[in-house]
PDB file of all heavy atoms in Angstrom:
ATOM      1  N   CYS L  10     -15.690  -1.396   5.384  1.00  0.00           N
ATOM      2  CA  CYS L  10     -15.024  -1.420   6.688  1.00  0.00           C
ATOM      3  C   CYS L  10     -16.083  -1.446   7.797  1.00  0.00           C
ATOM      4  O   CYS L  10     -17.251  -1.104   7.557  1.00  0.00           O
ATOM      5  CB  CYS L  10     -14.140  -0.176   6.881  1.00  0.00           C
ATOM      6  SG  CYS L  10     -12.573  -0.231   5.977  1.00  0.00           S
ATOM      7  N   GLU L  39     -16.828  -9.599 -12.796  1.00  0.00           N
ATOM      8  CA  GLU L  39     -15.769  -8.846 -13.473  1.00  0.00           C
ATOM      9  C   GLU L  39     -14.488  -9.667 -13.569  1.00  0.00           C
ATOM     10  O   GLU L  39     -13.800  -9.640 -14.600  1.00  0.00           O
ATOM     11  CB  GLU L  39     -15.489  -7.521 -12.750  1.00  0.00           C
ATOM     12  CG  GLU L  39     -14.513  -6.674 -13.550  1.00  0.00           C
ATOM     13  CD  GLU L  39     -14.185  -5.335 -12.918  1.00  0.00           C
ATOM     14  OE1 GLU L  39     -14.397  -5.158 -11.711  1.00  0.00           O
ATOM     15  OE2 GLU L  39     -13.685  -4.457 -13.655  1.00  0.00           O
ATOM     16  N   VAL L  40     -14.159 -10.396 -12.528  1.00  0.00           N
ATOM     17  CA  VAL L  40     -12.948 -11.227 -12.555  1.00  0.00           C
ATOM     18  C   VAL L  40     -13.012 -12.228 -13.702  1.00  0.00           C
ATOM     19  O   VAL L  40     -12.007 -12.484 -14.386  1.00  0.00           O
ATOM     20  CB  VAL L  40     -12.759 -11.950 -11.202  1.00  0.00           C
ATOM     21  CG1 VAL L  40     -11.725 -13.070 -11.324  1.00  0.00           C
ATOM     22  CG2 VAL L  40     -12.335 -10.952 -10.135  1.00  0.00           C
ATOM     23  N   SER L 160       5.886   9.515  21.310  1.00  0.00           N
ATOM     24  CA  SER L 160       7.314   9.590  21.593  1.00  0.00           C
ATOM     25  C   SER L 160       8.071   8.599  20.722  1.00  0.00           C
ATOM     26  O   SER L 160       7.497   7.653  20.174  1.00  0.00           O
ATOM     27  CB  SER L 160       7.583   9.281  23.070  1.00  0.00           C
ATOM     28  OG  SER L 160       7.274   7.923  23.351  1.00  0.00           O
ATOM     29  N   TRP L 252      -0.554  -4.266 -14.546  1.00  0.00           N
ATOM     30  CA  TRP L 252      -1.376  -5.065 -13.635  1.00  0.00           C
ATOM     31  C   TRP L 252      -2.849  -4.950 -14.011  1.00  0.00           C
ATOM     32  O   TRP L 252      -3.288  -3.935 -14.551  1.00  0.00           O
ATOM     33  CB  TRP L 252      -1.178  -4.660 -12.175  1.00  0.00           C
ATOM     34  CG  TRP L 252      -1.775  -3.336 -11.786  1.00  0.00           C
ATOM     35  CD1 TRP L 252      -3.041  -3.103 -11.319  1.00  0.00           C
ATOM     36  CD2 TRP L 252      -1.146  -2.045 -11.828  1.00  0.00           C
ATOM     37  NE1 TRP L 252      -3.237  -1.769 -11.068  1.00  0.00           N
ATOM     38  CE2 TRP L 252      -2.083  -1.099 -11.368  1.00  0.00           C
ATOM     39  CE3 TRP L 252       0.132  -1.613 -12.210  1.00  0.00           C
ATOM     40  CZ2 TRP L 252      -1.790   0.272 -11.291  1.00  0.00           C
ATOM     41  CZ3 TRP L 252       0.416  -0.260 -12.132  1.00  0.00           C
ATOM     42  CH2 TRP L 252      -0.532   0.670 -11.673  1.00  0.00           C
ATOM     43  N   ALA L 285     -22.175  -3.838 -18.325  1.00  0.00           N
ATOM     44  CA  ALA L 285     -21.216  -2.773 -18.648  1.00  0.00           C
ATOM     45  C   ALA L 285     -19.881  -3.061 -17.976  1.00  0.00           C
ATOM     46  O   ALA L 285     -19.748  -3.990 -17.167  1.00  0.00           O
ATOM     47  CB  ALA L 285     -21.774  -1.422 -18.209  1.00  0.00           C
ATOM     48  N   ALA L 296       4.370   9.552 -22.995  1.00  0.00           N
ATOM     49  CA  ALA L 296       5.795   9.323 -22.718  1.00  0.00           C
ATOM     50  C   ALA L 296       6.284  10.181 -21.556  1.00  0.00           C
ATOM     51  O   ALA L 296       7.061   9.712 -20.708  1.00  0.00           O
ATOM     52  CB  ALA L 296       6.615   9.598 -23.971  1.00  0.00           C
ATOM     53  N   LEU L 306       8.369   7.038  -8.707  1.00  0.00           N
ATOM     54  CA  LEU L 306       8.253   5.714  -8.103  1.00  0.00           C
ATOM     55  C   LEU L 306       9.632   5.126  -7.805  1.00  0.00           C
ATOM     56  O   LEU L 306       9.843   4.518  -6.754  1.00  0.00           O
ATOM     57  CB  LEU L 306       7.477   4.788  -9.036  1.00  0.00           C
ATOM     58  CG  LEU L 306       6.017   5.179  -9.283  1.00  0.00           C
ATOM     59  CD1 LEU L 306       5.427   4.347 -10.426  1.00  0.00           C
ATOM     60  CD2 LEU L 306       5.184   4.989  -8.020  1.00  0.00           C
ATOM     61  N   SER L 335      24.780  17.868  -8.228  1.00  0.00           N
ATOM     62  CA  SER L 335      24.714  18.922  -7.208  1.00  0.00           C
ATOM     63  C   SER L 335      24.004  18.418  -5.955  1.00  0.00           C
ATOM     64  O   SER L 335      24.382  18.764  -4.826  1.00  0.00           O
ATOM     65  CB  SER L 335      23.998  20.159  -7.765  1.00  0.00           C
ATOM     66  OG  SER L 335      22.621  19.900  -8.017  1.00  0.00           O
ATOM     67  N   ARG L 350      19.869   6.980  -6.775  1.00  0.00           N
ATOM     68  CA  ARG L 350      19.037   6.641  -5.619  1.00  0.00           C
ATOM     69  C   ARG L 350      19.097   7.764  -4.587  1.00  0.00           C
ATOM     70  O   ARG L 350      20.063   8.533  -4.539  1.00  0.00           O
ATOM     71  CB  ARG L 350      19.487   5.315  -4.994  1.00  0.00           C
ATOM     72  CG  ARG L 350      20.886   5.316  -4.447  1.00  0.00           C
ATOM     73  CD  ARG L 350      21.249   3.953  -3.853  1.00  0.00           C
ATOM     74  NE  ARG L 350      21.309   2.926  -4.863  1.00  0.00           N
ATOM     75  CZ  ARG L 350      22.384   2.655  -5.614  1.00  0.00           C
ATOM     76  NH1 ARG L 350      23.495   3.380  -5.468  1.00  0.00           N
ATOM     77  NH2 ARG L 350      22.363   1.711  -6.500  1.00  0.00           N
ATOM     78  N   VAL L 362      13.486  16.513  -3.269  1.00  0.00           N
ATOM     79  CA  VAL L 362      14.538  16.026  -4.167  1.00  0.00           C
ATOM     80  C   VAL L 362      13.946  15.541  -5.478  1.00  0.00           C
ATOM     81  O   VAL L 362      14.446  15.844  -6.571  1.00  0.00           O
ATOM     82  CB  VAL L 362      15.340  14.890  -3.484  1.00  0.00           C
ATOM     83  CG1 VAL L 362      16.314  14.257  -4.470  1.00  0.00           C
ATOM     84  CG2 VAL L 362      16.079  15.433  -2.262  1.00  0.00           C
TER      85      VAL L 362
END
Side-chain angles (χ1 to χ4, degrees):
C10 283
E39 187 179 19
V40 166
S160 67
W252 72 89
L306 296 169
S335 67
R350 63 180 66 85
V362 173

